[in-house]
């Protein structure tokens, strides 16, 4: 069965797509944690970082993040987050990178 994010990528579930290429689709998070909160998702259904193959669409995530950050004018900086597994708060088992921007962030994260 297709993952939630594959269903978004295929247009079955609506989302505001801000970028897409042959490997990655980026859309606004439904529950934004910052003025800009975009999810970058490899088209390939990889459950998480723990399952990434040697080669695959995940290798294009950082390039897509840079392009989206430039497109959205995040000149002052931004944060990229990947939650892996339950203790990190991963809720969707399709690898995704959060791109957060438009406000200041603290460290360490919660
Ligand atoms: P995780 O907690 O797995 O790192 O991140 C999953 C993210 O997916 C959450 O930030 C959540 O708000 C977002 N999300 C869950 N369901 C949907 C949805 O149907 N549409 C969109 N655009 N985002 C979703």
């Amino acid at each position: 069965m297709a993952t939630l994010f594959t269903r978004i990528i295929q247009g079955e579930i609506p989302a505001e797509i801000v970028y897409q290429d042959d490997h990655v689709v980026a859309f606004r998070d439904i529950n934004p944690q910052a003025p800009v909160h975009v999810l970058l998702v490899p088209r390939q259904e990889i459950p998480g970082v723990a399952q990434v193959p040697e080669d695959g669409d995940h290798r294009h995530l950082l390039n897509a993040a840079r392009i989206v950050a430039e497109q959205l004018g995040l000149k002052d900086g931004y944060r990229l987050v990947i939650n892996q597994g339950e203790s990190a708060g991963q809720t969707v088992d399709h690898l995704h990178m959060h791109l957060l921007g438009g406000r200041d962030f603290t460290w360490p994260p919660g």
Side-chain angles (χ1 to χ4, degrees):
M1 197 179 144
T3 68
L4 170 67
F5 288 165
T6 292
R7 294 178 69 200
I8 288 176
I9 288 169
Q10 293 177 341
E12 285 174 39
I13 296 173
E16 188 187 338
I17 292 175
V18 297
Y19 172 82
Q20 54 185 317
D21 61 27
D22 289 346
H23 306 283
V24 176
V25 178
F27 49 87
R28 305 251 185 206
D29 196 290
I30 203 169
N31 183 23
Q33 302 301 309
V36 172
H37 188 171
V38 168
L39 300 173
L40 296 125
V41 181
R43 290 183 183 273
Q44 193 178 349
E45 285 190 339
I46 301 164
V49 170
Q51 292 86 15
V52 291
E54 264 192 39
D55 196 9
D57 286 342
H58 62 287
R59 296 180 64 178
H60 299 266
L61 283 172
L62 282 178
N63 187 52
R66 175 184 55 77
I67 293 168
V68 172
E70 284 173 6
Q71 273 182 5
L72 298 181
L74 298 176
K75 292 190 177 66
D76 295 337
Y78 47 89
R79 182 166 287 179
L80 299 172
V81 174
I82 299 178
N83 296 319
Q84 165 57 43
E86 207 178 316
S87 68
Q90 183 179 4
T91 58
V92 178
D93 289 336
H94 184 152
L95 178 66
H96 52 283
M97 180 183 282
H98 299 255
L99 167 61
L100 298 140
R103 67 170 171 86
D104 292 335
F105 297 96
T106 58
W107 193 263

